[in-house]
Amino acid sequence: MERRAEAPPPPPQGLDFTVENVEKALHQLYYDPNIENKNLAQKWLMQAQVSPQAWHFSWLLLHMDKVPEIQYFGASALHIKISRYWNDIPADQYESLKSQLFTHITRFASGSKIVLTRLCVALASLALSMMPDAWPCAVADMVRMFQAEDSNVDGRARCLALLELLTVLPEEFQTSRLPQYRKGQVRSVLAQECGSVFPLLEQLLQQQDSPGFIKQKVLKCFSSWVQLEIPLMDCENLIQAAFTSLQDPELFDTAVEAVVNAISQPDAQRYVNTLLKLIPPVLGLQEQLRQAVQSGDMETSHGICRIAVALGENHSRALLDQVEHWQSFLALVNMIMFCTGIPGHYPVNETTSSLTLTFWYTLQDDILSFEPDKQAVYQQVYRPVYFQLVDVLLHKAQFPSDEEYGFWSSDEKEQFRIYRVDISDTLMYVYEMLGAELLSSLYDKLGRLLTNTEQPSTWQHTEALLYGFQSIAETIDVNYSDVVPGLIGLIPRISISNVQLADTVMFTIGSLSEWLADHPVMINNVLPLVLQALGNPELSISSVSTLKKICRECKYDLPPYAANIVAVSQEVLMKQIHKTSQCMWLMQALGFLLSALQVEEILKNLHSLITPYIQQLEKLADETPNPSNRLAIIHILGLLSNLFTTLDISHHDDDHESTEVKKLPVQQGPNPVVVVLQQVFQLIQKVLSKWLNDAQVVESVCAIFEKSVKTLLDDFAPMVPQLCEMLGQMYSTIPQVSAIELTRQLVHIFAHEPAHFPPIKALFLLVTSVTLTLFQQGPRDHPDIVDSFMQLLAQALKRKPDLFLCSNLDVKAVFQCGVLSLKFPEAPTVKASCGFFTELLPRCGEIAPVGQVVHENGKVLLQAVLEGIGGQASRSLMDHFAEILFALNKHCFSLLSVWIKEAMQQDGFPSARVTPEQKENFSQQILSRERVNKRRVKEMVKEFTLLCRGLHGTEYTADY
């Protein structure tokens, strides 16, 4: 299509769908620089493709004098009409349509490849819709038509066109929109018709004079057909021919794809004899594989590995069952082992080994699934194989030399990290097969490595063995292992000269923290290493996470080391060695540590730990707000809240079996966290006064108290009055979600206690009053506040319904806000509002103001619920709306039966798509005896919402 100096004007939306207008629109789509014009043209062309006129203009666009872009559009339009609007085609036109498509495919056999493919797809779609009744031997007819002599078309071109058609036919079947019963019918017809296709493909592959491009097309065609679940024995000859094609570099990739697709069919395991016949040709590829590895040909080694893994992974159970053939299957397993241990570093020198890891899981599962006697025989054969696998995997997990690793890109390093995680998961899985002997083996190797003075080992070797140990200890209970004491004894002997090795040492110590809790005498062997590593920014993640694990698991044995741990931690915190998240972890670690000390000791350590930050915060509180001091304030507040998250002297979270003996006596006097919070309370108020506009600072302040409340529970009581007062001031000035969330937490824990009810009640009323004012001003800009407010109301009803008896609580206004919230577009807000009403409605009888409001305004609530079900709300919320209907039914049945009748009498309500009969049917169902069954009410609502949306009985409802 030649580019003209000026593009034609855009086709108006109402323009007729003629050849000329389609061509103009295509020109505009391809060549108009204006993106809006392109979009307009695309929209118009999409309408043209589905219009009745498409039957006419499509054929005209396929004229040989048109350019490929125009011809392609014509062929695509034909495919869309045939595949999507099949029912519009009269049966008496099937034959002429078929004939025209054959003619055009023959004509394009020597023409544009993309147009030929589109025409083949159109004919394939026609064949699928017609078979088996209207076109009984469709595939055989296709083969016969293209094999017939046609002097106008070159034989090779005809052959390629036929292969293209035969290739797209199964592909079109996989993506077709045929109903399920037709799919099964057509699949079995196609499977039978392979008898017309496979002999032709075999003949073309075996012909000496068949050019490479024809053979490649044949292999692609075979690949396409095997996915129709054709019996493996029927594919045998073509699979063998594909194996032969693997020797031809030009055909290699396509042949690999064909063999893998054929072997991987789920149905293939039924044909055990054929599978057994495939083992020798796969083993026969080993020499080609070795040569590829030696010459660095990654593509070839990758392809051969895919074939071996496809056979082993998909059919290990079937092949293991053939006991008399155990040696040939073992040979296949060893070939896959070679692929796992392929020389070179992943992913720089090889990308093959990662393909094999799932095979080892599958093989192990299959061996362990046999009955005990058979399993014992296979364990004898395969335990040595799995021990070899461990050696191979640990070798593959080794880092390259420092020099080589320095040249790797960040992407390569990340891929290697993920690869090592996969190896770690595999080792953990293999432990199930090999058991404690695996740990002993790793320990012996590590011991020999570290004690052999004559032959010093590389750090990479040591690191890999430790990594193997850590992989297992992280998830398997090693408390009863007899090699862990020896390992703990070996760790200090490791000469750490490298960051990667140091990281793995740290993570290994961390993985043994539970063991250390049971063997506290060994803590001193490793703790100095961890504290030393804390000072190295490169070991930030590993050292901090390990210290946190030790402090959590071993806190009752750490008091002798507490002063040292606090001192080192303080030093690294002051030096700002670690990133923010690691600083937070470190504070959590110190919280665990301090929890096990006497109160005086805790206060003393808290004083030294927190004082520098309090001084810093005092200084920042006096400064004019700016971005840098904002970050510093958020950081300090974060440190405090993380410390208070884990500092728990009441030991609420202890589940240690041995803690009963070690647990300290119950502490007397105020909780140390409360003491500190009371000391810094005024300072926090001062910070807030300057930063009330900043949601993140407010959130950080609230987090300190929220974390403390969650950890301390009743011990937090002394703080309740002043915190309620501060929260009220905060929320009155600028309403923010974090303040409501903290209010909800206080209501949950303290509202039911008479001593704390007055401040909680005052705060609840204040938050409600401020939020109601927000609703009057327009709540749409604050869906998050509305969401949290609804959750607060629900919590109040759940924990202390008396709050709704307060004379100065406007229950009617709260109810109306809830109804308004049900109409928000944000799903979480609607869900929270439904939760509020689900808690409110059961209180109709016991709380007079609630009963009165529901009696007077319940119809408005029902109206909003029905609007949501009618299509206003997301379908994912229907269960929540059903909960409200269920509650109305249970607690206001007589009112509901009047309201629902009145509501449903409105025309077009709740949707114009439902008939009066359907509405009446839904109303009767909701009021029927089944109303007491919540599951049935949910089903009724789901059914009705689909009717309201016009989706009932469509494919959209399949997963609903």
Side-chain angles (χ1 to χ4, degrees):
M1 198 184 291
E2 287 180 21
R3 187 161 189 172
R4 297 174 200 165
E6 203 174 304
Q13 290 301 297
L15 206 61
D16 291 342
F17 298 122
T18 62
V19 175
E20 294 75 17
N21 288 336
V22 169
E23 289 196 38
K24 279 182 190 171
L26 283 166
H27 189 286
Q28 189 177 318
L29 179 66
Y30 285 114
Y31 298 117
D32 194 320
N34 184 319
I35 193 73
E36 282 183 28
N37 287 350
K38 279 179 183 289
N39 290 339
L40 272 174
Q42 186 171 25
K43 200 173 171 185
W44 186 86
L45 285 164
M46 285 166 77
Q47 292 168 353
Q49 277 188 316
V50 300
S51 69
Q53 294 91 317
W55 284 119
H56 175 67
F57 69 64
S58 294
W59 300 110
L60 298 173
L61 293 175
L62 284 165
H63 279 185
M64 298 310 283
D65 60 347
K66 306 285 184 192
V67 291
E69 292 94 328
I70 288 175
Q71 294 169 334
Y72 180 82
F73 183 80
S76 290
L78 281 172
H79 173 239
I80 286 169
K81 294 299 284 183
I82 293 167
S83 61
R84 293 192 202 166
Y85 301 95
W86 177 251
N87 293 333
D88 297 348
I89 307 170
D92 61 358
Q93 289 186 21
Y94 292 170
E95 286 305 317
S96 72
L97 186 54
K98 185 205 304 183
S99 172
Q100 278 180 288
L101 282 168
F102 268 124
T103 305
H104 277 80
I105 288 172
T106 309
R107 196 175 292 159
F108 275 91
S110 305
S112 167
K113 171 76 174 66
I114 57 164
V115 181
L116 172 67
T117 301
R118 243 27 238 153
L119 286 168
C120 288
V121 172
L123 180 57
S125 186
L126 179 85
L128 295 172
S129 297
M130 287 176 71
M131 63 174 61
D133 302 331
W135 193 359
C137 304
V139 180
D141 284 356
M142 290 174 186
V143 173
R144 195 168 51 254
M145 287 282 289
F146 282 96
Q147 282 183 326
E149 285 299 324
D150 185 332
S151 54
N152 297 326
V153 183
D154 166 56
R156 271 186 191 166
R158 259 202 336 274
C159 179
L160 278 173
L162 172 60
L163 288 171
E164 183 66 25
L165 177 57
L166 293 175
T167 304
V168 299
L169 184 62
E171 291 168 359
E172 180 66 8
F173 170 76
Q174 305 289 6
T175 58
S176 69
R177 300 180 176 205
L178 293 171
Q180 209 52 45
Y181 78 96
R182 282 275 295 135
K183 268 215 151 170
Q185 191 184 32
V186 173
R187 176 183 269 115
S188 61
V189 171
L190 284 172
Q192 288 162 14
E193 291 249 29
C194 78
S196 304
V197 179
F198 284 9
L200 170 70
L201 300 184
E202 286 171 36
Q203 182 191 341
L204 288 169
L205 274 180
Q206 284 158 7
Q207 275 177 4
Q208 294 300 315
D209 60 342
S210 281
F213 62 88
I214 295 270
K215 287 185 176 179
Q216 197 157 47
K217 200 77 198 126
V218 168
L219 290 165
K220 278 184 181 165
C221 184
F222 173 51
S223 251
S224 181
W225 274 81
V226 291
Q227 294 179 59
L228 292 171
E229 294 175 23
I230 288 162
L232 192 65
M233 57 189 183
D234 294 345
C235 305
E236 211 175 301
N237 292 346
L238 277 168
I239 295 175
Q240 296 293 354
F243 269 109
T244 308
S245 302
L246 290 168
Q247 303 306 316
D248 183 339
E250 193 186 343
L251 302 177
F252 182 82
D253 291 343
T254 324
V256 167
E257 217 57 53
V259 173
V260 169
N261 283 343
I263 293 174
S264 303
Q265 284 309 301
D267 196 44
Q269 60 196 17
R270 288 170 45 208
Y271 305 96
V272 179
N273 288 336
T274 307
L275 289 172
L276 288 169
K277 286 183 197 172
L278 292 176
I279 295 180
V282 173
L283 296 176
L285 297 170
Q286 286 180 99
E287 188 48 43
Q288 191 178 353
L289 174 61
R290 284 198 183 86
Q291 286 174 5
V293 169
Q294 278 172 1
S295 61
D297 179 356
M298 284 164 69
E299 283 73 22
T300 300
S301 52
H302 196 83
I304 293 173
C305 173
R306 279 185 64 202
I307 292 171
V309 169
L311 184 56
E313 195 176 306
N314 289 294
H315 307 296
S316 67
R317 176 70 198 220
L319 293 168
L320 279 168
D321 269 328
Q322 308 308 304
V323 182
E324 66 278 19
H325 295 278
W326 70 273
Q327 283 172 307
S328 65
F329 183 59
L330 181 59
L332 177 67
V333 171
N334 284 326
M335 180 177 175
I336 296 172
M337 180 76 80
F338 176 82
C339 295
T340 305
I342 208 158
H345 287 288
Y346 182 96
V348 176
N349 318 109
E350 63 92 6
T351 54
T352 298
S353 56
S354 61
L355 299 178
T356 65
L357 298 180
T358 316
F359 164 74
W360 299 108
Y361 285 79
T362 309
L363 178 62
Q364 179 175 312
D365 284 346
D366 289 337
I367 291 169
L368 297 180
S369 69
F370 285 126
E371 65 277 7
D373 291 350
K374 197 169 182 182
Q375 192 185 124
V377 173
Y378 277 109
Q379 285 260 20
Q380 212 173 347
V381 175
Y382 283 100
R383 272 177 73 84
V385 173
Y386 272 86
F387 273 113
Q388 185 192 347
L389 174 67
V390 171
D391 289 344
V392 166
L393 289 176
L394 291 177
H395 182 73
K396 292 297 293 181
Q398 283 187 28
F399 279 88
S401 68
D402 295 337
E403 187 184 0
E404 192 181 334
Y405 193 62
F407 286 112
W408 283 21
S409 68
S410 57
D411 187 44
E412 286 166 342
K413 287 176 180 175
E414 176 59 11
Q415 282 185 58
F416 182 58
R417 185 192 68 77
I418 294 167
Y419 174 69
R420 276 171 51 100
V421 170
D422 292 341
I423 285 177
S424 172
D425 292 344
T426 311
L427 290 169
M428 181 191 77
Y429 205 76
V430 166
Y431 181 83
E432 191 186 347
M433 178 97 149
L434 302 180
E437 206 181 324
L438 172 55
L439 290 178
S440 302
S441 161
L442 291 173
Y443 171 65
D444 290 345
K445 286 184 175 127
L446 189 63
R448 282 199 298 274
L449 208 63
L450 295 175
T451 52
N452 186 344
T453 48
E454 293 168 20
Q455 210 177 355
S457 61
T458 62
W459 71 262
Q460 286 92 339
H461 200 165
T462 308
E463 190 277 336
L465 283 167
L466 268 182
Y467 184 70
F469 213 103
Q470 172 217 324
S471 302
I472 295 158
E474 252 177 353
T475 43
I476 308 291
D477 182 4
V478 294
N479 280 9
Y480 306 104
S481 167
D482 55 359
V483 301
V484 178
L487 177 69
I488 296 276
L490 281 176
I491 284 175
R493 300 184 61 161
I494 296 171
S495 166
I496 300 176
S497 55
N498 174 280
V499 171
Q500 283 91 3
L501 176 57
D503 257 337
T504 302
V505 168
M506 284 301 113
F507 285 127
T508 305
I509 295 170
S511 71
L512 297 171
S513 54
E514 285 183 39
W515 185 90
L516 287 167
D518 289 338
H519 305 83
V521 72
M522 303 297 276
I523 290 173
N524 201 34
N525 274 40
V526 291
L527 188 59
L529 288 174
V530 179
L531 294 178
Q532 188 186 348
L534 273 184
N536 184 344
E538 289 185 296
L539 304 177
S540 182
I541 292 175
S542 61
S543 61
V544 174
S545 68
T546 297
L547 182 65
K548 183 180 162 185
K549 280 181 179 176
I550 291 173
C551 288
R552 185 180 65 216
E553 301 299 335
C554 312
K555 60 185 171 189
Y556 298 109
D557 302 295
L558 292 179
Y561 314 103
N564 194 17
I565 295 173
V566 172
V568 173
S569 300
Q570 259 186 296
E571 189 185 345
V572 299
L573 284 166
M574 284 294 121
K575 285 182 179 172
Q576 298 182 336
I577 283 172
H578 301 292
K579 289 182 180 173
T580 302
S581 52
Q582 276 72 57
C583 292
M584 302 306 157
W585 292 356
L586 191 48
M587 278 300 203
Q588 287 178 24
L590 294 171
F592 286 124
L593 173 74
L594 298 181
S595 301
L597 303 181
Q598 295 292 337
V599 170
E600 314 81 68
E601 282 296 305
I602 296 174
L603 285 168
K604 196 171 90 181
N605 278 292
L606 278 177
H607 181 72
S608 69
L609 189 61
I610 290 175
T611 302
Y613 293 111
I614 301 306
Q615 289 167 350
Q616 207 178 335
L617 198 58
E618 283 170 343
K619 188 163 161 283
L620 290 163
D622 290 330
E623 293 177 7
T624 309
N626 66 59
S628 68
N629 59 23
R630 172 182 179 272
L631 287 175
I633 287 170
I634 291 168
H635 181 75
I636 293 169
L637 295 174
L639 291 174
L640 294 176
S641 63
N642 276 280
L643 177 64
F644 298 154
T645 302
T646 53
L647 208 173
D648 178 17
I649 60 169
S650 61
H651 318 298
H652 295 113
D653 297 329
D654 282 338
D655 56 359
H656 242 279
E657 293 165 19
S658 52
T659 53
E660 293 310 314
V661 187
K662 300 177 181 179
K663 203 173 271 191
L664 304 169
V666 175
Q667 310 282 357
Q668 298 300 315
N671 188 293
V673 172
V674 173
V675 172
V676 172
L677 283 175
Q678 286 175 328
Q679 287 171 356
V680 299
F681 197 81
Q682 280 186 311
L683 173 58
I684 287 174
Q685 280 184 306
K686 186 177 177 182
V687 170
L688 262 182
S689 66
K690 286 196 176 179
W691 290 91
L692 256 181
N693 283 311
D694 191 297
Q696 218 179 334
V697 173
V698 172
E699 199 177 309
S700 300
V701 167
C702 290
I704 290 180
F705 294 104
E706 193 179 353
K707 300 267 177 73
S708 305
V709 169
K710 279 181 178 171
T711 308
L712 303 180
L713 301 176
D714 295 339
D715 289 354
F716 188 82
M719 293 292 302
V720 171
Q722 60 199 116
L723 181 56
C724 285
E725 191 183 339
M726 185 182 88
L727 272 175
Q729 290 167 356
M730 278 167 58
Y731 197 74
S732 305
T733 315
I734 297 175
Q736 295 195 25
V737 170
S738 46
I740 305 185
E741 291 297 315
L742 184 48
T743 303
R744 182 158 65 97
Q745 199 72 39
L746 290 170
V747 167
H748 176 66
I749 294 170
F750 295 108
H752 62 283
E753 293 184 16
H756 301 303
F757 185 63
I760 298 278
K761 173 183 160 184
L763 175 62
F764 175 75
L765 291 173
L766 183 79
V767 168
T768 303
S769 166
V770 171
T771 312
L772 291 177
T773 310
L774 195 72
F775 265 89
Q776 288 165 0
Q777 295 163 353
R780 276 300 302 115
D781 296 337
H782 308 283
D784 51 346
I785 288 180
V786 175
D787 181 344
S788 290
F789 180 57
M790 290 296 137
Q791 290 185 55
L792 170 64
L793 295 173
Q795 185 71 266
L797 285 161
K798 209 181 285 184
R799 298 292 288 178
K800 193 68 176 170
D802 292 4
L803 286 165
F804 277 70
L805 285 168
C806 302
S807 56
N808 44 354
L809 177 72
D810 190 341
V811 179
K812 182 178 178 182
V814 167
F815 186 93
Q816 287 169 336
C817 289
V819 172
L820 195 60
S821 307
L822 285 175
K823 300 179 182 181
F824 270 47
E826 291 83 5
T829 306
V830 179
K831 183 180 171 184
S833 312
C834 290
F836 160 58
F837 284 114
T838 309
E839 291 293 337
L840 182 87
L841 293 168
R843 311 288 178 190
C844 285
E846 64 188 83
I847 301 174
V850 170
Q852 188 184 343
V853 166
V854 172
H855 191 274
E856 293 169 2
N857 300 275
K859 186 180 170 185
V860 184
L861 169 62
L862 177 66
Q863 184 100 358
V865 169
L866 291 173
E867 279 174 19
I869 295 169
Q872 295 295 315
S874 160
R875 273 166 52 201
S876 65
L877 293 164
M878 291 307 110
D879 279 356
H880 303 288
F881 282 113
E883 296 264 5
I884 297 179
L885 280 179
F886 181 77
L888 280 168
N889 238 325
K890 192 171 180 182
H891 304 284
C892 325
F893 176 69
S894 55
L895 290 168
L896 176 64
S897 48
V898 175
W899 294 336
I900 199 166
K901 193 174 179 184
E902 290 174 2
M904 289 301 199
Q905 281 173 349
Q906 303 169 74
D907 285 342
F909 181 87
S911 161
R913 290 192 175 94
V914 281
T915 64
E917 292 77 27
Q918 288 169 327
K919 292 200 283 186
E920 176 64 22
N921 182 38
F922 175 64
S923 304
Q924 285 178 357
Q925 278 186 320
I926 287 293
L927 299 169
S928 71
R929 284 183 184 175
E930 286 193 289
R931 69 178 188 272
V932 296
N933 183 333
K934 194 183 284 189
R935 184 181 57 78
R936 273 297 294 133
V937 173
K938 288 180 178 179
E939 286 170 4
M940 294 169 198
V941 169
K942 283 182 177 178
E943 190 85 5
F944 189 60
T945 197
L946 292 172
L947 287 169
C948 290
R949 296 163 199 262
L951 295 175
H952 197 270
T954 67
E955 60 189 283
Y956 295 103
T957 65
D959 302 323
Y960 189 53

